[in-house]
Amino acid sequence: MDFIATIKARLNYADFYNKYIEKFDPANRLNSCPFHTDDHPSFDVNIESGLYNCFAANCGAHGDVITFYSAINSVSRGQAIQSLAKELGIEIPHKQTIDPDLADMFYARLLEHKDGLAFLQERRGLTPTTIKSFRRSEERRVGKECRSRWSPYH
């Protein structure tokens, strides 16, 4: 079972949605939508799957518990995953790092290919001078710093 599936399996969907939806009734599929003023219940929650959908024309919110948590708390999907895991007492797995030699080889191949060079210049905004001066040691330093600062789900 993957990490996100573990979070979803541990959640009690009725309790989860009850925290965020006023007068939530899991027996009644349609409830008031927490994302807009709702005079007529339009928010459907499937307690079995955890999926939700708002049928109001001006809303259309839909997704799973992670999408809901992200939207209701105004956080990124990565932050929602981390918060839910913490609330459930689930340890966040750390992704394995890529072999530095493999990364160097990939980067070298990227520079050899005209589309790779165009990608770095056009999509990443790197100048030819920056690309040429890029050093393996700097790559490792930046990579290590990034891994220590950001979660793999950010």
Side-chain angles (χ1 to χ4, degrees):
M1 184 179 298
D2 75 339
F3 181 62
I4 294 175
T6 301
I7 290 173
K8 291 178 179 181
R10 289 254 199 102
L11 273 174
N12 177 311
Y13 295 131
D15 291 345
F16 172 81
Y17 284 107
N18 191 46
K19 285 192 261 184
Y20 300 100
I21 301 172
E22 189 176 331
K23 299 178 184 174
F24 178 71
D25 179 9
N28 181 8
R29 295 269 310 248
L30 289 180
N31 291 274
S32 294
C33 181
F35 300 112
H36 63 90
T37 304
D38 206 357
D39 296 329
H40 304 287
S42 60
F43 193 77
D44 177 35
V45 175
N46 183 323
I47 296 303
E48 300 300 316
S49 68
L51 299 175
Y52 69 92
N53 188 36
C54 179
F55 294 105
N58 64 338
C59 182
H62 64 280
D64 62 6
V65 290
I66 296 169
T67 307
F68 182 89
Y69 189 96
S70 177
I72 204 80
N73 291 298
S74 300
V75 298
S76 71
R77 182 170 175 83
Q79 290 168 321
I81 291 167
Q82 288 180 349
S83 296
L84 287 169
K86 187 175 180 180
E87 285 179 23
L88 295 167
I90 300 171
E91 187 175 334
I92 299 171
H94 297 284
K95 287 187 175 181
Q96 292 181 334
T97 58
I98 295 174
D99 179 317
D101 293 330
L102 183 61
D104 290 339
M105 184 185 77
F106 175 78
Y107 186 73
R109 297 275 177 153
L110 186 66
L111 292 179
E112 289 171 5
H113 197 276
K114 66 179 175 116
D115 291 338
L117 193 57
F119 171 80
L120 292 174
Q121 290 174 327
E122 296 166 16
R123 299 281 304 273
R124 295 293 183 222
L126 300 176
T127 65
T129 305
T130 302
I131 294 167
K132 287 178 186 173
S133 66
F134 192 76
R135 292 186 176 90
R136 181 177 173 171
S137 61
E138 182 65 6
E139 178 183 355
R140 286 187 175 160
R141 185 193 66 75
V142 171
K144 186 176 181 181
E145 182 179 323
C146 289
R147 285 191 300 277
S148 68
R149 293 176 102 186
W150 293 294
S151 160
Y153 297 100
H154 209 55

